[in-house]
Amino acid sequence: PPGHYLTGCIMAVRTQEVLEVGGFDPDLGMTGRQVATGEEDHLQDKLRAAGHSICYDPALTIRHLVQPYKYAKRKQVALALAHGRASARITPLPAGQRYRYLVRELSRLTAVTLPFNLARLLLKPGYPWQHAYLDTIRKYAFALGRFGASR
């Protein structure tokens, strides 16, 4: 459904359909050492808008080497911040709504996400504190990235 996306490393798209919707946005995504995301999400939004179907097949798998540095907490937070910035570029916040968005999101995260992840940490055996931290802080970073990019 809209708002849900396939992971870019395991997408298969017909070349003609990609060209039909204008391809990937070169201003989104990783370039060199720049941390960024969003090019495959944006492409999927454009494909949906053009009437194409996006399908998920759980039988498809991929063995994908992820460099160890990408597991670092700092890198995970940077990726979430970049994803928020990309989200704001793809779907900008309405004019004059930046601060309302920020207050609403930070309130929701503090009232719902933070207690939920704290409860998981305390009540779910084997749930590492690092997961609780990242599951929470990435959502804050996404919100801050979205807020900052919506100027």
Side-chain angles (χ1 to χ4, degrees), residues 96-140:
Q97 298 292 312
R98 286 180 61 230
Y99 289 99
R100 180 175 289 163
Y101 164 80
L102 184 64
V103 169
R104 186 184 70 237
E105 273 307 290
L106 294 181
S107 298
R108 182 185 66 78
L109 292 169
T110 303
V112 178
T113 302
L114 183 62
F116 176 76
N117 287 333
L118 183 58
R120 286 198 315 181
L121 177 63
L122 297 173
L123 303 173
K124 185 176 178 184
Y127 183 66
W129 71 267
Q130 295 92 336
H131 288 192
Y133 168 79
L134 285 174
D135 288 346
T136 304
I137 202 73
R138 283 190 299 218
K139 292 188 191 278
Y140 280 100

Side-chain angles (χ1 to χ4, degrees), residues 5-140:
Y5 302 98
L6 301 175
T7 302
C9 70
I10 194 165
M11 282 179 18
V13 187
R14 290 183 183 95
T15 303
Q16 183 57 38
E17 292 174 0
V18 172
L19 294 174
E20 177 185 314
V21 298
F24 289 97
D25 185 339
D27 293 331
L28 297 171
M30 303 277 194
T31 53
R33 292 183 173 255
Q34 177 185 338
V35 176
T37 65
E39 69 274 23
E40 59 271 312
D41 293 357
H42 189 224
L43 177 67
Q44 290 173 68
D45 284 340
K46 293 191 303 183
L47 288 167
R48 283 186 181 107
H52 298 289
S53 297
I54 307 290
C55 301
Y56 170 72
D57 183 349
L60 292 175
T61 61
I62 187 170
R63 291 183 61 135
H64 179 56
L65 172 65
V66 177
Q67 297 296 327
Y69 76 90
K70 291 187 177 182
Y71 291 118
K73 289 184 280 301
R74 182 174 57 196
K75 184 69 168 186
Q76 292 289 312
V77 173
L79 284 168
L81 189 65
H83 193 216
R85 286 193 301 263
S87 174
R89 287 203 51 217
I90 294 166
T91 310
L93 295 171
Q97 298 292 312
R98 286 180 61 230
Y99 289 99
R100 180 175 289 163
Y101 164 80
L102 184 64
V103 169
R104 186 184 70 237
E105 273 307 290
L106 294 181
S107 298
R108 182 185 66 78
L109 292 169
T110 303
V112 178
T113 302
L114 183 62
F116 176 76
N117 287 333
L118 183 58
R120 286 198 315 181
L121 177 63
L122 297 173
L123 303 173
K124 185 176 178 184
Y127 183 66
W129 71 267
Q130 295 92 336
H131 288 192
Y133 168 79
L134 285 174
D135 288 346
T136 304
I137 202 73
R138 283 190 299 218
K139 292 188 191 278
Y140 280 100

